[in-house]
Amino acid sequence: MAATIRDVARASGVHVSTVSRTFSAPHLVNTETRNRVLAVAEDLGYRPNRAARALTTGRTHNIGLIVADISNPFFPPLIKAAQAHARARDYHVFVADTDEDPQVEEELIQTLAKQVDGVLLCSPRLSNRAIERLHADVPFVVVNRRMKGLPTILMDVGEGARLAIEHLTGLGHRRIALLSGPVGSWTSGEMRAAATATDGVELVILGPNAPTEQGGLAVAGEVVASGVTGVLAYNDLVAIGLIEGLYERGVRVPDDISVVGVDDIVSGRLNRPKLTTVAMPTAAAGRMAVDLLLQSFGEGATPTLATLDTSLVVRESTGEVRT
Amino acid sequence: MAATIRDVARASGVHVSTVSRTFSAPHLVNTETRNRVLAVAEDLGYRPNRAARALTTGRTHNIGLIVADISNPFFPPLIKAAQAHARARDYHVFVADTDEDPQVEEELIQTLAKQVDGVLLCSPRLSNRAIERLHADVPFVVVNRRMKGLPTILMDVGEGARLAIEHLTGLGHRRIALLSGPVGSWTSGEMRAAATATDGVELVILGPNAPTEQGGLAVAGEVVASGVTGVLAYNDLVAIGLIEGLYERGVRVPDDISVVGVDDIVSGRLNRPKLTTVAMPTAAAGRMAVDLLLQSFGEGATPTLATLDTSLVVRESTGEVRT
DNA sequence: GTGAAAGCGCTAACAA
DNA sequence: TTGTTAGCGCTTTCAC
C-alpha cells in the first residue's frame, strides 16, 4: 500500500494537518519543518491522493475531453494542444471516445462528471437538450457546436466553405456537390448554409455521409452520377476516400473533378494529389477551450463565444474546369 | 450542487446505508424500498460519486491508457477496442498522450496512479527501471515492450519483419534497408534482430527515425543514396512519408524501390500505391490488455505474457526487382 | 507555526 | 431487511 499523509505525519513527528499544509500551502509552515516533512515524504514515496483531496476541496484538477472519434486525425492536434496547455496550468486531461454514439457520449459525461472539474465537448452528437441537462452536473466548454449559454468555441467553417466555393467558381466550376456530414453535426449545417447562400452555383447536396474515408469512398458513385465538376467534402477524410473512389472509376482529380476538403489533416498534405482544403485552427481551439474552462471556474464566469478563423489552403486537388 | 447520498436518504425516509446498498448491492434491499429510493434518486438526479466510492472500496473502476502519440493512427484502434471492452465490464478508460517524452510519461503515470485501478502502458519510452519503480504505485499491463515480471502483451513484429524480408528476397531483392524507429522502442529492436538474422541479405540500417511521415520523408535521400532496392520501414507512417520523399526525387514505388510498412493503418490501404505491410493485431491487443489488467486485480495474479501473431499483407508497394 | 477536530460522499462491518 | 458506526485520505476552520 502506498504511503498516506498519516504515515508521513507519524514518521516526521508532526500532525497530518502540517503535512497537508506542506503540500497545499507551504508558505504557512516553518521552513525547517517543511524540509523535514518533504524529506520524509520523498523517502516514503508519498504523493497526495488527488481523489481524496478533491473530496474536500471540490477540485480534482482534471479535465475531461470528449471526442466523437479519436481515429479522426482532426482531433489529435486539438487533444495534444489541450493536454499541453492544461499541464502547464497543473491540470490533467483525460480523453474519451464516444464512437459517434450519443448514448455513449452521455454515459461518458456522467461518469466523468464527478472526476473532473469540467469537460471539453468536441463536436458533440448529443442534442442541445441533453447537453443542457447534463450541464447541471459539470461545467462544459463546447467546441464546434453553437450552444447558447455555454462557453463555446467555434471554428468559422462557414467562412471556410464560402472561400472554398468561391475558389471553385473562380476556376470555372458551376455545378458543385456538397458532401454533408453526420446528422446533428453543427459543422455540416454551417457548411450547407454557407454553400446555399452562394450565388451562381448549382449546388447538389449529397449525404449524410460517415465522416470517414469509407464515407467518401461510398459516395463516389453518386458524385460521378451527379455530373458535378467540383466537390466540397465534409472533411479531409471524406475527400481522400472520395478521390480514391473516383480514381477506381477512372475519374481523375483534379483533371475531371476538383475536390476540396476541410480540416487540413497531415495525410492530406502527403497524399497525391495533395489536398486543397479549409484549414481548421485545431490546436488553437484546444488551448482556448482549456482557457475558457479554467476561466469559467473563477468568479463571475460569463458564458463566452470565441470564433476562430479558418483559411483556404490551395494545393493540387483543385484545378480549372475542363472546357 | 449535485445531490448526494444523504439528500436521497432524507427524501426517501431511509438511511444512507440503504441508499448505498440500493446502488452497490441491490439484492440486499427490499424491492419496495429499493424502488422508492431509485425513484427519489432519479428525481433528484443523483448519481453515486465514483471518487468518493473509490476512497472506501479502493476501486475506482477506471483504467488509464498511456500512449506515446495519439496522432499515430496505430493507436486509435487499440484505444477504441480497449474502451469498448472495458465499458462492457463497467470500467472506464482515460487516455493520455505523452508526446514521446519519457518525463511526461512518468508524470502522467504518477498523476493517474491514484485515480485508476491500473494503467495500460503502450509502447512506453520509459526505461525498464523507471517502469519497475512506478509499478509500486499502480498495476500495469505493458504493450509492445518486454518487461519481466509484468503482464505483457507483445505483437510478434519480429516474425512480421522476417516475413517482410522473405517477401522482398522472394521478389529478388538482395540489398535491403531497415528504417529503424525511435531509440528505446522495443519494436524497433525486434525488427532489427529479425532482419539481421536473415541470410542472403545485405542489410543497411538507417536511423533512428521519427516514427512519423516526416521521419520517412527525411530519410528518403539516404535511402536513395544507399542503393537498396527494398525497404522495410519502422511503420506505415514512415513508409508513406518515404514513398512521398522518393516520389519527389523521381524514384518510383514499386518500380524502382519496394517498400514494406508495419501496422496496417487505414490510410495505407487508401494511399497509392497501396501499402504492403505487416498487419498488427491492435484491436485484439487492446482487448487483451484490458483482460489482463482486470485479471491481475484478482487473487493469485500471475504475471503473464501474451504474444499475438502478425501477418504480411501484400498490396502494391512491393514488386519484383528490376533486372 | 502547529495541533485538534470536523467533515467531504461513500462503503462496510456489526447490530438490531 | 435496515440502522449505526467507523473510517477511507485529505483539507480546513478554529484554537492554542
Side-chain angles (χ1 to χ4, degrees):
Chain A
M1 200 56 200
T4 85
I5 199 173
R6 228 169 323 245
D7 300 327
V8 178
R10 202 157 19 216
S12 45
V14 297
H15 277 243
V16 290
S17 43
T18 304
V19 178
S20 172
R21 285 187 202 102
T22 308
F23 287 94
S24 36
H27 57 281
L28 289 181
V29 41
N30 186 320
T31 315
E32 201 173 313
T33 323
R34 190 195 328 159
N35 289 148
R36 186 152 37 93
V37 171
L38 250 21
V40 172
E42 169 77 38
D43 204 47
L44 265 45
Y46 167 78
R47 328 209 81 231
N49 180 328
R50 299 186 133 213
R53 171 181 287 178
L55 209 50
T56 51
T57 60
R59 285 262 161 275
T60 62
H61 269 242
N62 292 145
I63 295 175
L65 171 46
I66 296 188
V67 300
D69 179 12
I70 211 172
S71 66
N72 181 337
F74 169 75
F75 289 113
L78 192 156
I79 296 172
K80 280 171 172 280
Q83 288 207 353
H85 203 65
R87 182 163 38 243
R89 283 150 186 75
D90 196 25
Y91 274 79
H92 281 264
V93 174
F94 294 146
V95 184
D97 178 317
T98 69
D99 241 339
E100 301 268 356
D101 181 336
Q103 200 168 331
V104 173
E105 191 172 335
E106 178 156 9
E107 262 178 48
L108 232 32
I109 293 175
Q110 288 177 333
T111 308
L112 238 32
K114 295 291 184 6
Q115 319 198 45
V116 301
D117 297 338
V119 171
L120 271 29
L121 229 45
C122 299
S123 314
R125 301 287 182 246
L126 238 31
S127 70
N128 281 18
R129 267 191 22 163
I131 295 180
E132 264 152 24
R133 182 160 37 76
L134 289 164
H135 182 52
D137 294 342
V138 59
F140 288 141
V141 168
V142 183
V143 179
N144 269 356
R145 166 90 160 249
R146 178 150 238 141
M147 281 294 303
K148 260 179 95 170
L150 293 185
T152 301
I153 301 196
L154 261 25
M155 309 191 210
D156 197 351
V157 67
E159 170 69 4
R162 204 179 54 71
L163 291 174
I165 301 276
E166 272 178 15
H167 168 63
L168 288 173
T169 55
L171 291 167
H173 300 274
R174 287 294 166 264
R175 192 170 162 79
I176 294 174
L178 175 69
L179 307 188
S180 59
V183 182
S185 158
W186 172 84
T187 309
S188 190
E190 289 294 295
M191 289 173 63
R192 182 176 179 146
T196 310
T198 311
D199 292 327
V201 170
E202 269 181 81
L203 196 67
V204 181
I205 296 181
L206 265 27
N209 302 285
T212 60
E213 281 126 330
Q214 284 308 326
L217 208 54
V219 80
E222 278 184 74
V223 167
V224 173
S226 72
V228 301
T229 62
V231 178
L232 173 57
Y234 174 67
N235 67 16
D236 287 350
L237 250 24
V238 172
I240 290 171
L242 170 67
I243 291 175
E244 180 61 22
L246 293 176
Y247 177 85
E248 285 174 1
R249 287 171 173 74
V251 178
R252 300 292 158 159
V253 174
D255 312 26
D256 304 317
I257 292 186
S258 286
V259 176
V260 182
V262 173
D263 285 353
D264 195 20
I265 64 176
V266 173
S267 65
R269 304 201 266 264
L270 286 167
N271 272 283
R272 278 184 313 279
K274 297 191 200 312
L275 209 56
T276 295
T277 189
V278 177
M280 301 278 260
T282 47
R287 282 188 293 271
M288 189 161 289
V290 169
D291 282 340
L292 242 50
L293 189 62
L294 298 191
Q295 198 176 310
S296 82
F297 297 159
E299 302 295 308
T302 35
T304 327
L305 169 67
T307 304
L308 302 175
D309 285 342
T310 57
S311 60
L312 185 72
V313 183
V314 178
R315 297 206 182 92
E316 307 166 356
S317 66
T318 47
E320 295 203 352
V321 71
R322 269 199 315 197
T323 48
Chain B
M1 199 55 199
T4 83
I5 199 173
R6 224 163 332 238
D7 301 325
V8 178
R10 202 155 21 213
S12 47
V14 297
H15 278 244
V16 290
S17 43
T18 304
V19 178
S20 172
R21 282 184 205 107
T22 306
F23 286 94
S24 36
H27 57 281
L28 289 182
V29 41
N30 186 321
T31 316
E32 202 174 313
T33 323
R34 189 196 327 158
N35 288 146
R36 185 153 38 92
V37 170
L38 249 22
V40 171
E42 170 75 38
D43 203 47
L44 265 46
Y46 168 77
R47 325 212 80 232
N49 181 326
R50 299 187 132 212
R53 173 181 285 176
L55 209 51
T56 51
T57 60
R59 285 264 161 276
T60 62
H61 268 243
N62 292 146
I63 295 175
L65 170 47
I66 297 189
V67 301
D69 178 12
I70 210 170
S71 66
N72 182 338
F74 169 74
F75 289 112
L78 190 156
I79 295 171
K80 279 171 171 281
Q83 289 207 356
H85 202 66
R87 182 162 38 241
R89 283 152 187 72
D90 197 26
Y91 273 80
H92 281 265
V93 174
F94 294 147
V95 184
D97 178 316
T98 69
D99 241 340
E100 302 267 355
D101 182 337
Q103 201 168 330
V104 173
E105 190 172 335
E106 177 156 8
E107 262 178 50
L108 233 31
I109 293 174
Q110 288 177 334
T111 306
L112 239 30
K114 294 288 182 13
Q115 320 199 45
V116 300
D117 297 336
V119 171
L120 270 29
L121 230 45
C122 299
S123 313
R125 301 287 183 247
L126 238 32
S127 70
N128 281 18
R129 272 206 357 179
I131 294 180
E132 265 153 24
R133 182 160 38 73
L134 289 164
H135 182 52
D137 294 341
V138 59
F140 288 141
V141 167
V142 183
V143 178
N144 269 357
R145 166 87 160 250
R146 178 151 237 140
M147 281 295 304
K148 260 178 93 168
L150 292 186
T152 302
I153 299 192
L154 262 25
M155 309 191 210
D156 196 352
V157 67
E159 170 68 3
R162 205 179 54 70
L163 291 174
I165 301 276
E166 272 178 13
H167 168 64
L168 288 172
T169 56
L171 291 167
H173 300 274
R174 288 291 166 268
R175 192 169 162 79
I176 293 174
L178 175 69
L179 307 188
S180 58
V183 181
S185 158
W186 172 83
T187 309
S188 191
E190 289 294 294
M191 289 171 63
R192 181 174 180 146
T196 311
T198 311
D199 291 328
V201 170
E202 271 181 78
L203 196 68
V204 181
I205 296 179
L206 265 26
N209 301 286
T212 60
E213 281 126 329
Q214 284 308 325
L217 207 55
V219 78
E222 278 185 75
V223 168
V224 173
S226 71
V228 300
T229 62
V231 178
L232 173 58
Y234 173 66
N235 67 16
D236 286 349
L237 250 24
V238 171
I240 290 170
L242 170 67
I243 291 174
E244 180 61 21
L246 293 177
Y247 177 86
E248 284 173 2
R249 285 172 175 75
V251 178
R252 299 293 158 156
V253 174
D255 313 25
D256 304 318
I257 292 187
S258 287
V259 176
V260 181
V262 174
D263 285 352
D264 194 21
I265 64 176
V266 173
S267 66
R269 303 201 268 263
L270 285 166
N271 271 284
R272 280 183 311 279
K274 297 193 199 310
L275 210 56
T276 294
T277 189
V278 176
M280 301 278 259
T282 46
R287 282 189 292 271
M288 188 162 289
V290 169
D291 282 339
L292 241 53
L293 188 61
L294 298 192
Q295 197 177 309
S296 82
F297 296 159
E299 302 296 308
T302 34
T304 327
L305 170 68
T307 304
L308 301 175
D309 284 343
T310 58
S311 59
L312 185 72
V313 183
V314 178
R315 298 204 184 92
E316 309 167 355
S317 65
T318 48
E320 294 204 352
V321 72
R322 271 200 314 199
T323 48

